[in-house]
Amino acid sequence: MAQDLLSLLAKEKIIAIVRGIPMGSGEQTAKALAEGGISFLEITLNTDGALDMINEIKGKFGERIKVGAGTVLNLKMAKEAIQAGAEYIISPNLDEEVLTYGLEQGVEVWPGTMTPSEIVRAYNLGAKAVKVFPIGSLGVKYIKDLRAPLSHIPMVATGGVNLDNIKEVLDYGAVAVGLGGNLVNNSLIEKGDFERITHMAASYTKLAKEVEEIAAKS
């Protein structure tokens, strides 16, 4: 199951990160993103009602959207997320208890890493992929530098990815990107402008597909 999930992510290339959206707007946000071609949704646990949102979206959209929990900082949060139905867990940090527990439960964990040592440590502990964060501060070329010696470890670049650099990040070898406020714009959600969210999602997925098509031909 974990490998199937990662294979799908490698094809889709985008995880939309939902953080701090207004209570009750989860379903509309998920629908708007899905209509724009997004199939991976990360609900961060520092969002009000996150666990209920995970459960609701999974029940409503089924296989159409792969719902994960983000900002999972400790074992208690991991247990609650999995109980709520999270299909994968993402953290900004490498917590070995969270990683071990997720794998024991058959749930994929993509921990947050920055240094080569953290990346290799996470991979050796069983992570099938790692989140490299914050890529906006490190610079997108950082992915290229990491991939030179660590090309066997799938990396999800997160933090600072936008329409201007997403193709560059993916070209440098990131298996996927995590997109927060540059895609899931909370001010638009507060205004109820879900059409704009769909439009932005479609713009991102179009660029990701172009990278995928070029890679398939090479």
Side-chain angles (χ1 to χ4, degrees):
M1 172 61 187
Q3 193 57 48
D4 291 344
L5 195 65
L6 186 57
S7 296
L8 181 60
L9 177 61
K11 181 182 176 186
E12 299 295 329
K13 298 198 176 303
I14 294 173
I15 302 172
I17 303 168
V18 176
R19 185 189 306 276
I21 65 172
M23 287 279 284
S25 61
E27 184 181 330
Q28 283 179 291
T29 300
K31 183 173 183 287
L33 290 165
E35 287 178 349
I38 300 294
S39 58
F40 279 80
L41 209 60
E42 172 192 338
I43 312 297
T44 69
L45 294 194
N46 59 348
T47 298
D48 289 340
L51 296 173
D52 288 338
M53 201 184 301
I54 290 169
N55 189 265
E56 175 191 26
I57 291 171
K58 186 173 180 182
K60 189 78 177 180
F61 293 90
E63 289 300 307
R64 186 180 178 195
I65 294 179
K66 301 296 183 183
V67 187
T71 317
V72 180
L73 303 176
N74 54 50
L75 184 58
K76 179 177 180 291
M77 295 171 79
K79 289 180 176 179
E80 290 173 344
I82 291 172
Q83 187 174 4
E87 297 175 73
Y88 52 93
I89 286 174
I90 300 179
S91 304
N93 62 310
L94 171 56
D95 185 299
E96 296 184 11
E97 278 192 320
V98 169
L99 178 52
T100 300
Y101 179 75
L103 298 180
E104 286 173 353
Q105 301 301 309
V107 174
E108 187 68 3
V109 180
W110 301 324
T113 59
M114 187 176 74
T115 68
S117 295
E118 289 175 330
I119 291 167
V120 173
R121 177 68 176 156
Y123 186 74
N124 287 343
L125 286 167
K128 300 293 189 300
V130 297
K131 167 182 170 177
V132 180
F133 171 83
I135 203 64
S137 301
L138 296 164
V140 296
K141 190 174 178 292
Y142 186 61
I143 286 287
K144 182 181 181 181
D145 294 338
L146 286 172
R147 296 287 297 162
L150 302 177
S151 60
H152 60 293
I153 303 177
M155 301 175 191
V156 180
T158 305
V161 179
N162 54 46
L163 285 170
D164 293 328
N165 66 19
I166 181 173
K167 289 182 77 171
E168 186 178 16
V169 173
L170 293 171
D171 282 339
Y172 280 154
V175 70
V177 298
L179 294 170
N182 288 333
L183 170 58
V184 191
N185 186 304
N186 286 11
S187 63
L188 291 177
I189 293 169
E190 286 167 8
K191 294 174 190 172
D193 191 356
F194 293 100
E195 187 176 338
R196 179 65 181 160
I197 297 289
T198 297
H199 176 75
M200 287 198 298
S203 297
Y204 276 107
T205 54
K206 179 177 181 290
L207 293 174
K209 281 192 174 70
E210 287 174 6
V211 173
E212 176 70 6
E213 286 168 2
I214 291 169
K217 290 175 183 175
S218 61

